[in-house]
Structures are given as C-alpha cells and as structure tokens.
Amino acid sequence: MKIGYLPSQLMSAVIVPLVKCKTGDLSDVDNYRAITLSNSISKIIESLLFDTIETVDDIDDYQFGFQKNVSTAMCTDVFKSTVDYYHRNGSHVFCCFIDFKKAFDQVDYWLLFCKLIDSNNSQLCCAAIRLLAFWYSHQQVFVRWQNTYSDCFNLARGVRQSGILSPYLFKLYVRDLLKVVVKLCIGCNIAEWFINILAYADDIGPLLEGFTMFTRYNRQGSG
C-alpha cells in the first residue's frame, strides 16, 4: 500500500455472463449481466481499504442504495408521502425517473479517484487511492463462457462488478450530482426540507412541483 503496488495475480478476475431473461433473445448482448469473480484475497484487501477511504456527507440522506438500515421500501415511502402531501394541498407533482444504463460499467475511474481525493485528502487515504489507481489501470480480466476462456484484456472504465468497494465508489461518484440538484432549491420541499431528488443506486428521481405529467427516461434516449 505504501508504494501503490499489487502483484498481477491479485489483479486478475474472471467475467461470467449470466442471462437476465431466459425467455428473451439469447443472442442479444444486452440480455446478459456480467458478474466478475475475484479471488478471496482481493476481497480482503478491498475490505481493509473501505475503512480508509469511506467518507460521509449530509447529501447521502438522498441516496437509499448501498447504505445500512435503508431500503427501496423507504425510498418509495418518502416519494409517495411527498406526492400525497402536495396532492392534499392542491398541487400536482412532476417526476422524471432516470435509470442509468450499465451504470457501474460506465464510471470514469480516473474522475472517481479525483473525487476520492477531494472528499478525503488524508495521507492514508491518498495511499489507498494510489493503490486503487494502480489496481484499476493494470487489472487483467478474462471472459469465461462454459468451459472456454477468452484472452485477457484491460478495462478502461467502470468499477469492479461484485467488488466490495464498488457500491460505495459508485455512491460517491454520483454524490455531486445529488448535491447540485438539492442546492438548486427548486422542486418539492416540506417544512423547508427540499425533497427534489431521490436516488436508489443508479435509479434517480428528481421531483418538481406544479406539473401533471409523469414520464420515464433512460440515459440513452426517450422513455
């Protein structure tokens, strides 16, 4: 950790494609979920690094994913209670549901590491980030399909699927997005508490008061 280095054996992983919908098109690449299998020692290292790089922010109150003692049910309850409050007071609510496509795979991990440094610039944290930067930029992955293995290749972006650190890293990655929306002070608020955005992992729902249309969008186009 002091010199920011890991042996290659610890940075290798196997990607196993799993079918999302068995009744769907099995030739469609989007019908598969990539699960990464890592060795046990790498998971121990991630567990140790977690205590070093973890930070807490008030804006995390708007993020219901990847946190203890919260759930999708709680996120849904806050959403429904907010909408009911405005309906009872004679107002409509407009909400846009955003579901980022392949969110973990699209993370720019160099931007992520900059965010990590900004959130905690202690000497120990910087050493952990340097180790993560080496790990991510030198990781070797294979694809296993039944009993056949592909050639190894590098990943230019994304956080490690099934990694212990990955949920926290993604939460920190989108933290600034939630913070910007909340600080706009536009949208639903109850008792001067703005509830203008709610998130569960990569599912994000901005709430605005005064409209009647409900719709759904994804990052790639219209919903």
Side-chain angles (χ1 to χ4, degrees):
M1 184 171 175
K2 190 173 182 179
I3 62 175
Y5 174 80
L6 284 174
S8 59
Q9 292 91 336
L10 287 179
M11 296 186 293
S12 63
V14 177
I15 296 177
V16 180
L18 298 181
V19 179
K20 294 181 181 178
C21 179
K22 294 183 179 180
T23 59
D25 184 1
L26 297 182
S27 64
D28 183 6
V29 67
D30 291 327
N31 192 29
Y32 291 84
R33 178 180 291 105
I35 302 299
T36 304
L37 306 179
S38 303
N39 57 66
S40 299
I41 296 180
S42 67
K43 295 183 178 180
I44 294 174
I45 295 174
E46 285 193 272
S47 298
L48 296 173
L49 292 177
F50 183 83
D51 293 334
T52 303
I53 67 173
E54 183 186 20
T55 59
V56 179
D57 193 288
D58 291 341
I59 205 68
D60 292 339
D61 290 340
Y62 295 87
Q63 172 62 268
F64 291 79
F66 314 132
Q67 297 203 82
K68 295 179 180 179
N69 303 319
V70 294
S71 64
T72 52
M74 292 179 65
C75 185
T76 303
D77 182 66
V78 173
F79 172 81
K80 294 174 69 175
S81 297
T82 303
V83 174
D84 289 343
Y85 171 83
Y86 274 86
H87 279 181
R88 289 196 307 269
N89 288 275
S91 177
H92 301 292
V93 176
F94 171 79
C95 181
C96 176
F97 292 98
I98 305 171
D99 183 12
F100 290 102
K101 186 177 181 180
K102 298 185 182 299
F104 272 37
D105 297 334
Q106 299 299 326
V107 170
D108 181 339
Y109 53 70
W110 292 115
L111 176 59
L112 170 64
F113 298 147
C114 291
K115 290 177 179 289
L116 277 170
I117 294 173
D118 292 339
S119 65
N120 186 347
N121 58 2
S122 68
Q123 185 175 355
L124 185 60
C125 180
C126 289
I129 295 170
R130 183 168 60 247
L131 182 65
L132 283 174
F134 181 86
W135 192 346
Y136 270 73
S137 59
H138 291 82
Q139 60 186 329
Q140 297 285 317
V141 294
F142 307 80
V143 175
R144 185 182 73 194
W145 181 252
Q146 296 181 358
N147 294 321
T148 303
Y149 288 81
S150 72
D151 294 331
C152 67
F153 56 93
N154 295 323
L155 297 177
R157 60 177 55 242
V159 292
R160 294 164 56 84
Q161 292 284 355
S162 74
I164 294 175
L165 278 176
S166 297
Y168 168 73
L169 293 176
F170 183 80
K171 184 180 73 171
L172 183 139
Y173 190 70
V174 300
R175 183 183 283 171
D176 287 342
L177 171 63
L178 304 183
K179 191 174 296 186
V180 168
V181 174
V182 172
K183 287 187 175 181
L184 287 174
C185 297
I186 299 174
C188 297
N189 73 88
I190 300 175
E192 299 184 355
W193 180 269
F194 274 91
I195 312 176
N196 53 358
I197 189 166
L198 299 172
Y200 191 90
D202 61 333
D203 294 307
I204 299 175
L207 287 84
L208 297 175
E209 175 226 350
F211 295 86
T212 57
M213 180 174 59
F214 284 78
T215 186
R216 183 176 183 87
Y217 293 94
N218 61 44
R219 193 169 59 93
Q220 301 296 320
S222 60

